[in-house]
Structure formats: C-alpha cells, structure tokens
Amino acid sequence: SHQKATRSGSSQAKKSQHAEEANFYMNCRAAYLAVLKSSLENIKSKEQLSLVLQQAGRNPSQKTLNKYWTSQTTTLNFDDFCTILKQEKTATKTELLEAFGKLDTDKTGYILHDELYQVLTMRGERMSRDEVSSILKQADFNCSGKLDYNKFCDFYMAASEQCCKTAREKLEVDSRLRQQQFGSQTETSSSAGITLPVSKPSPRISRKTDHKVAPTKGDSRSPSRPSSAQTCKAAVSTTITMGASSHRNTKLIEPDTMKEWQWAQSKGCFYLEEDGEIISHKYKLHLPQRSAVCITIKPLNIHQVEGKPCPWLSVDTALFILRENETQEHLQLVNFTEQQTKEMFGWKGELGSGVYWLLPFTTGCRLKKVKQQITGEAKLVYRGEDGDLALTKEFRAALLDIFETIDLDGNGLLSLEEYNFFELRTSGEKCDEEAWAVCKENFDMKKNELTRQGFMDLNLMEANDREGDPSDLWVTLLSLGYNKALEMTEACPFVIDVYAEKCKPRIKAMYLEAGSWQLSRAVCKSVLNKGEAKVMDGCENIVVYTYKADRRITSVIENKSENKVILHVNNEQSKNCLSNRGLTVFAVEVAPKSMMVSQHVMPQSEQEEWVYNCVHSLV
C-alpha cells in the first residue's frame, strides 16, 4: 500500500512537472509569434529581443539585454529565446515589495514622488524624467504626491500577466500563426483528391515501439523546451541508420534509347524568402498521347567565377507529378522523383494523354538562412576615364548567371513571359506589352526577345537613372538570392528535363509562388504511400509515417482524432543530421482529422554515416 502511494505520488509529480513545462513552452511560442511571423524566423536586433521579452511578461533592463545581445550577436533563434526566459524569471510581488521597502525606511507603504524621481533618474539604470512622470501620472496608485507601491506592484503584476494572456489568446485565435509556427504543411483528411488509410491494421504498421534510445554522440544542443519523451504517456520512437551516400547510379534511360525519345526542357529556381519560406516556379506538362516518359530535375550548374562557392549544387531537389482533372483544385498525385543519379532525381513510368502539373520541391535542409560574416560590399558600377558609368566585371558575371537562370527555355533570349517572372520576383510588378515595346526601342532584341547584351544595358540604365547609386541594383540582387559579396547563397536554380517515347512533350512555367496546398498534400500523400507507419503507443489515433530515401528522411503525422494534438519532437540522439526545422527539439500542432509534415532530415556530411533517431511524444 505504501509503495502504491509512493508510485502514485511520483506519477502525479511527473504529470505536474510535464504540465508546467508544456505551459512554459506554450507561453514561449505565444510571445515569440506576437512579434515574429514564424518560430523559424530569428530575432534580428536588441530592440526586437526587448519586444519579445515584454510579450512574455518580462521587463528587461538594458543590462539584461546587453547580457544576451553582445557586440558579437547577429541573431537569436527560438531556442535561444526559450533559454533566456528560463533564466530571466518574472519578478514576484514579494521581490518587488522588498525592493520598494528599502526606500520606505519608515514602513508607511508610500514613497514620495520627489524621492522616487531622484532614485530613478540618478541611480543605476537611469530613467528620463518623462518616463518617471508617466508612472506617477497613473491615478490608480498615486495620490497627494506619493506612490502607493503596494498598489503599484499589483498593477505591475496584472500588466505582466495580461501581456502573456493577450499573446496566448492571439495564438489560439489565429490559426495562420499556429500553422506558421509549425510550418504550414498541414493537410486536412477531407481534402479533395486525398483518401486517407482506413483504421484497419495495415501490413506496414508496426505497433511495437522501442523507447530505448541508444546513447549516440550527436552534434545537438541542449534543448530549451520540454523534451523528455519518457514523461509522456504516448510516444513513438524511430531509429534509422544510413550509410555514407553512394549516389546510386540507377539508369533512368538507356543511352541508346534516349536518342529515340522526344525531349522538352525548362529551367527554374527556388528562392528563399526573408521568413524562411521557399518559393519556386510551377509548371504545366502537356502530353498529346499516352507514352512512356522520364522526368528529371537537378540543380543548374551555371558558370561561376573561379574560387566562388556554389552552395546550391548540394541542395536537394524533387518533382511531384500531379494529374489535372476537371479543375485545378482536383489534382491527383501520380508519383514523384525518387530515383537518383548523382545530384539528379527522376521518375520513369507511363502517363496517359492530358495535362499534368510538375511541382518542384526542396526540403529546406540545405536551402536556408545562414549567418554570414561578410566584410565590405562588392562594387557594382564604376566611372571610366570618360566619366561614364560602367558595370564591374564581378557584377557582369553575376548578371550573366542571372540571365542563364531566368532564360527558362534556354534559347539565349528573354521572352516577355520570362522577363515578367524576373520582374515579379524583383519588383512585384509586371511589364506590359507597351513597356516591352519601349524596351525594344532602347535595348538589343531578337524576335521580340531581349538578348544578353540588352539585359546588361537595361541594368546599366538603371544605374544611370540613379546616378551611380547601386541601391536599386542591390534590391534586385538580394531578391534573387545574392549576398553582398555577390554569392548566390539563398537561391537554387534547377533544370527539368522531360523525355517521352511516343510524343512531343510540352512544358511551360505557369507561376512563381510559395509551396501550394497541392504540394503540401502531395508530400504528405507520398510519405503515407511509401513510408513505414507506426501507431503511437497509448494513442491509436496518432500515426507517424517515416519515408526513407538515399539522401532524405521525411516524417508525417496523421491525427485521426476529433481533437487537435500537440506533439514534442526530439532529435537529440540523431547523428550527422540536418533538419529543415533548424532545431533539435520542437513541437508541432496537428489539427483534428488532418496530417502534416513533422520534419525533413538529410545528412550533414554525405561522406559519413548518419543516424536518424526521433521520438514523437504526445503532450
């Protein structure tokens, strides 16, 4: 009986601790998202740090801010923020009363305004007289030239609590914020074109869960959020050991056969937005008759200045092939490119006549915001001996690479359609037929398409319009993924090839936009179709699917219940892994009757073994 009582008490203590941790984590999220768009977005300034801390009910002094934002700090992520909140506790009423009590030597419960002015404006972290006046004008706790500091403390505590409450309420009400926090890749089970597996047992479903995590040396950091799956009643663990990448050489098309097949090609690009979202071109593929086809995608190996890095060549690329039915809203997933030949991914099969959508995809494991120490700024223009402006050699090289990327059909010329994708990306506007006619009068064109030289001259004209000020040119370059050293670090150009045995395929870029719900749905569906499923022990309505390829592991969470669920995701025991989340430990919220991507993981070094060890646990 005594042992039962002890175990019961221990269990209650653990539940209480876990509830406390979950509440702390929820407050962290609420405060962060009250200021920033996504938990993947970083705090970029001391002022922003102060705002986020205030939303969490803290009132940081300059000394506190300087402690965490030093001269070497460039950004702080959500993990860092949670660590700060754990260290910087909110002041209790008792602590505040003790501080005021040191000034109130007669223990009257009041402090004269004149005395308070002197203390707050002359000692420690000094406040301005206006700041002090704004406090003393509050009628709730001031009268007859005195501050009732007991009432002031009540007011302070209530205001602090209200900040947290407001941030929490905003998070609960705004479903868009909740989705962005967890990556907006949630899919509702009832979405058109998706049929989720029924609840009967599947041969791919394993109900055995191994909670034992082998100790592995990982390059993970200490979590600043509740992470211990052992304290959760329901959890599912997945461990996969992957060997060094061999770049499997699966021949998609035999060399002799390829000569007989008809071919179409289009280029495109992934661009990284400021908030970490990835946008890319979307394509329509027309097949006039049923045919065996082969569709491939790979990073575009454009010419680079010697010694300049080419970070985009290691970015993972994939294509999801969707069949168009009566309306674009009803796209059916056909397949995706999972066969690999070095950096190329492809799919080979048979497609009926009709219209298909090709949706490019990258996990975001390697195409992501990175901290860079760049000294100086590359020069874009200069004045020659005659006083005329000219483009520098480095800028010309970058413009040639840009031209190569935006020349989607690869004919060495820019059509109005191709140029408008460039304009939409860099200025948000389109060039109409009338403006294009003006371009034709002023810049070199062939067959109503802009030449490389014409494109160069157009950028030179922009520099001349600003009398050599490169500001607008930098806006263009930064929006296309270049940094101030003229390195393309936040974009990945790619090329798509379509081969058909019995007809001439036609491919055309239709949009340049962020990943649509169709793409999110296709990613989830592909993992459900080809991944291993594990039902969560203790909660059969939660299923975690894990898809394994040679260079990528993707997990999808399906919530079959009528209620939303929050899951902790712990990767602390993983080794040599890169996650698109950028975090070792995080949480995801899954809406009722829906599914969503938990994370994508790739090897940090492809030349070494990598171990994926992930525990999903229910809060």
Side-chain angles (χ1 to χ4, degrees):
S1 175
H2 175 72
Q3 287 176 340
K4 284 182 180 179
T6 303
R7 281 198 297 269
S8 174
S10 176
S11 175
Q12 289 297 324
K14 284 184 178 180
K15 283 182 180 179
S16 174
Q17 181 188 4
H18 188 69
E20 202 175 300
E21 288 180 335
N23 188 59
F24 167 78
Y25 178 65
M26 184 64 77
N27 285 333
C28 289
R29 288 198 296 124
Y32 205 82
L33 292 179
V35 177
L36 300 159
K37 292 180 182 178
S38 162
S39 67
L40 299 179
E41 187 178 343
N42 289 336
I43 297 169
K44 300 181 181 70
S45 67
K46 188 189 293 186
E47 291 71 26
Q48 212 170 40
L49 173 61
S50 179
L51 282 173
V52 180
L53 287 171
Q54 286 168 7
Q55 288 295 329
R58 309 309 195 261
N59 187 26
S61 64
Q62 281 300 316
K63 184 179 179 181
T64 299
L65 292 173
N66 292 338
K67 176 180 171 184
Y68 299 107
W69 194 279
T70 68
S71 56
Q72 281 76 43
T73 308
T74 54
T75 59
L76 293 171
N77 63 24
F78 182 55
D79 232 17
D80 299 324
F81 172 65
C82 292
T83 303
I84 293 170
L85 282 192
K86 282 195 170 184
Q87 294 176 10
E88 300 300 325
K89 306 288 185 183
T90 50
T92 65
K93 184 179 178 180
T94 302
E95 289 170 338
L96 291 173
L97 288 174
E98 284 178 2
F100 279 112
K102 290 177 182 178
L103 299 176
D104 179 21
T105 53
D106 296 331
K107 306 302 177 187
T108 62
Y110 296 92
I111 299 175
L112 293 173
H113 285 179
D114 290 342
E115 187 178 353
L116 199 60
Y117 261 121
Q118 189 173 3
V119 171
L120 295 180
T121 59
M122 300 296 288
R123 297 186 197 171
E125 194 167 312
R126 299 175 186 177
M127 296 173 67
S128 68
R129 292 191 70 84
D130 287 341
E131 288 172 329
V132 179
S133 294
S134 67
I135 296 173
L136 303 184
K137 283 177 183 176
Q138 296 287 336
D140 292 341
F141 41 82
N142 289 286
C143 63
S144 305
K146 295 183 292 184
L147 172 79
D148 183 334
Y149 61 81
N150 194 59
K151 286 184 179 180
F152 173 80
C153 289
D154 288 336
F155 175 84
Y156 177 89
M157 297 305 295
S160 176
E161 190 176 327
Q162 186 60 41
C163 279
C164 295
K165 185 180 177 183
T166 302
R168 282 284 290 266
E169 287 174 350
K170 185 179 179 183
L171 183 67
E172 286 299 318
V173 171
D174 196 338
S175 60
R176 179 186 60 82
L177 274 180
R178 290 203 306 272
Q179 284 191 347
Q180 281 196 344
Q181 155 65 13
F182 304 119
S184 53
Q185 296 193 14
T186 305
E187 284 303 320
T188 305
S189 302
S190 58
S191 293
I194 279 274
T195 305
L196 288 180
V198 291
S199 298
K200 64 183 181 182
S202 160
R204 290 186 291 115
I205 291 184
S206 166
R207 293 178 181 270
K208 292 181 180 177
T209 305
D210 180 15
H211 293 288
K212 293 180 180 178
V213 181
T216 308
K217 289 183 181 177
D219 59 343
S220 52
R221 44 199 295 186
S222 266
S224 54
R225 284 165 247 172
S227 59
S228 51
Q230 291 80 3
T231 64
C232 296
K233 184 178 179 182
V236 60
S237 173
T238 303
T239 303
I240 301 173
T241 301
M242 305 286 286
S245 178
S246 57
H247 286 310
R248 293 177 297 173
N249 290 305
T250 306
K251 291 185 179 178
L252 299 174
I253 308 176
E254 295 297 329
D256 292 337
T257 309
M258 190 166 65
K259 295 175 184 176
E260 307 293 326
W261 291 23
Q262 298 189 67
W263 167 72
Q265 184 186 79
S266 183
K267 288 180 278 188
C269 196
F270 295 110
Y271 296 108
L272 194 59
E273 296 280 61
E274 192 60 39
D275 62 0
E277 190 173 37
I278 296 172
I279 72 169
S280 74
H281 295 82
K282 308 283 190 292
Y283 304 82
K284 266 190 177 181
L285 170 65
H286 296 260
L287 286 177
Q289 69 180 80
R290 176 173 288 276
S291 174
V293 299
C294 178
I295 303 173
T296 67
I297 182 172
K298 66 178 180 180
L300 180 63
N301 193 1
I302 55 178
H303 168 73
Q304 277 288 292
V305 177
E306 189 175 347
K308 288 273 186 180
C310 307
W312 70 88
L313 291 179
S314 65
V315 170
D316 57 295
T317 59
L319 272 178
F320 283 82
I321 306 158
L322 287 79
R323 174 74 184 254
E324 185 176 281
N325 293 331
E326 295 176 6
T327 64
Q328 187 186 330
E329 282 72 34
H330 293 79
L331 301 180
Q332 294 289 332
L333 174 65
V334 175
N335 219 310
F336 65 101
T337 54
E338 61 175 340
Q339 288 180 283
Q340 182 185 357
T341 305
K342 295 186 177 178
E343 73 278 1
M344 178 191 291
F345 283 82
W347 175 80
K348 186 179 179 182
E350 189 166 289
L351 294 178
S353 63
V355 178
Y356 296 84
W357 283 84
L358 303 182
L359 305 183
F361 168 76
T362 184
T363 60
C365 292
R366 292 191 173 147
L367 184 60
K368 59 171 62 175
K369 294 282 179 183
V370 292
K371 295 179 182 178
Q372 290 182 310
Q373 296 293 331
I374 297 173
T375 54
E377 182 181 289
K379 198 172 182 181
L380 304 183
V381 295
Y382 69 97
R383 292 198 180 273
E385 293 180 359
D386 56 2
D388 291 340
L389 278 175
L391 308 179
T392 63
K393 179 182 175 182
E394 293 77 17
F395 185 36
R396 287 181 65 85
L399 287 175
L400 286 172
D401 288 346
I402 291 168
F403 188 94
E404 183 74 18
T405 301
I406 63 178
D407 175 20
L408 302 182
D409 62 10
N411 71 343
L413 301 167
L414 292 183
S415 66
L416 177 56
E417 267 188 306
E418 290 171 329
Y419 182 74
N420 271 334
F421 280 123
F422 166 78
E423 278 292 304
L424 281 170
R425 178 61 193 158
T426 56
S427 68
E429 299 175 354
K430 277 190 173 183
C431 176
D432 58 22
E433 293 285 352
E434 188 178 339
W436 194 244
V438 173
C439 281
K440 192 173 182 179
E441 293 173 7
N442 293 278
F443 304 107
D444 187 36
M445 284 201 181
K446 288 181 182 177
K447 300 177 183 178
N448 203 38
E449 295 189 331
L450 192 65
T451 65
R452 284 184 178 82
Q453 188 56 51
F455 183 64
M456 294 286 188
D457 292 341
L458 191 150
N459 281 275
L460 180 58
M461 182 202 73
E462 190 172 338
N464 275 302
D465 285 348
R466 296 295 299 268
E467 297 182 348
D469 182 354
S471 301
D472 286 353
L473 297 175
W474 275 118
V475 170
T476 297
L477 288 165
L478 294 173
S479 67
L480 294 174
Y482 283 81
N483 61 21
K484 291 287 186 169
L486 283 181
E487 299 162 340
M488 185 163 57
T489 57
E490 296 187 357
C492 172
F494 55 78
V495 59
I496 297 170
D497 290 288
V498 181
Y499 302 88
E501 183 181 20
K502 296 181 179 178
C503 60
K504 174 67 177 174
R506 288 185 292 119
I507 181 173
K508 183 179 181 181
M510 303 300 295
Y511 304 109
L512 178 60
E513 62 183 16
S516 60
W517 64 269
Q518 289 103 332
L519 178 59
S520 299
R521 189 179 67 185
V523 172
C524 289
K525 181 71 171 176
S526 68
V527 174
L528 264 66
N529 286 345
K530 299 195 175 188
E532 179 193 3
K534 284 187 178 182
V535 175
M536 184 169 282
D537 278 358
C539 189
E540 295 204 347
N541 283 326
I542 308 298
V543 185
V544 177
Y545 297 83
T546 306
Y547 166 76
K548 177 186 71 172
D550 193 41
R551 290 172 63 195
R552 165 170 71 95
I553 291 174
T554 296
S555 62
V556 165
I557 303 166
E558 181 190 359
N559 176 16
K560 296 180 181 180
S561 74
E562 301 288 343
N563 303 306
K564 72 175 182 181
V565 296
I566 297 177
L567 277 76
H568 285 158
V569 185
N570 188 328
N571 298 291
E572 290 177 298
Q573 299 300 320
S574 291
K575 176 185 176 184
N576 187 31
C577 286
L578 279 175
S579 169
N580 69 308
R581 297 283 183 176
L583 300 169
T584 304
V585 181
F586 56 92
V588 291
E589 182 176 299
V590 192
K593 296 289 185 183
S594 71
M595 57 183 174
M596 66 171 294
V597 171
S598 171
Q599 65 179 336
H600 304 287
V601 175
M602 293 183 68
Q604 190 162 6
S605 169
E606 293 189 7
Q607 284 69 47
E608 299 175 17
E609 178 185 85
W610 52 297
V611 178
Y612 172 77
N613 189 314
C614 180
V615 179
H616 287 83
S617 51
L618 191 64
V619 173

